[in-house]
Amino acid sequence: MRAHGRASQERVVMETIGFDDFLKVELRVGRVLSAEVFATARKPAYVLQVDFGAELGVLKSSAQITVHYRPEELVGRLVVGVVNFPKKQIGPLMSECLVTGFHDADGAVALCVPDRDVPLGTKLL
């Protein structure tokens, strides 16, 4: 039985990692150069070309972000991507990075983005 007026709070149990493990993940800021409908994807998605600066260059990604974003809205936006995963074949596309986001209450993806302009390629701390 719950106490009146108090919601049940369950703690999520998750695996912990060391700080050195976190440092291995290359989360970098990039700017979307182009976004096109990924017509052959099994789930609605866009193919993004993301510029991660001079050190990393332009990388491709498939992103299932079609609920909240139109291709023309994405061009010029900053995004946060994981740039050191192995390349992954997604249908005819070789994905070179993972653009990050969060599921909203309905399961659609909202992008993870910096709230200020930062240099391309900057690593998340």
Side-chain angles (χ1 to χ4, degrees):
M1 184 188 252
R2 279 195 311 197
H4 179 70
R6 299 187 70 196
S8 172
Q9 294 183 0
E10 295 182 26
R11 292 187 55 94
V12 174
V13 178
M14 64 182 79
E15 180 181 355
T16 59
I17 63 171
F19 190 69
D20 288 340
D21 293 323
F22 171 73
L23 291 176
K24 292 177 187 176
V25 181
E26 291 287 333
L27 286 155
R28 303 284 187 110
V29 171
R31 187 174 307 280
V32 177
L33 298 179
S34 69
E36 299 176 359
V37 173
F38 191 174
T40 59
R42 283 187 271 163
K43 295 182 180 178
Y46 298 133
V47 174
L48 305 179
Q49 298 270 346
V50 183
D51 182 0
F52 286 98
E55 180 185 349
L56 297 168
V58 177
L59 302 177
K60 290 181 282 187
S61 183
S62 170
Q64 295 175 359
I65 56 175
T66 60
V67 173
H68 293 302
Y69 308 96
R70 294 188 317 268
E72 60 273 14
E73 295 174 320
L74 292 165
V75 174
R77 289 187 67 139
L78 292 178
V79 294
V80 176
V82 179
V83 297
N84 66 330
F85 281 152
K87 293 178 182 178
K88 183 177 181 180
Q89 190 74 46
I90 302 174
L93 174 75
M94 182 62 75
S95 183
E96 301 170 311
C97 65
L98 173 72
V99 173
T100 61
F102 301 95
H103 286 114
D104 68 13
D106 297 319
V109 178
L111 289 170
C112 175
V113 299
D115 69 352
R116 299 283 188 275
D117 201 28
V118 294
L120 300 182
T122 299
K123 186 173 179 178
L124 182 114
L125 305 174

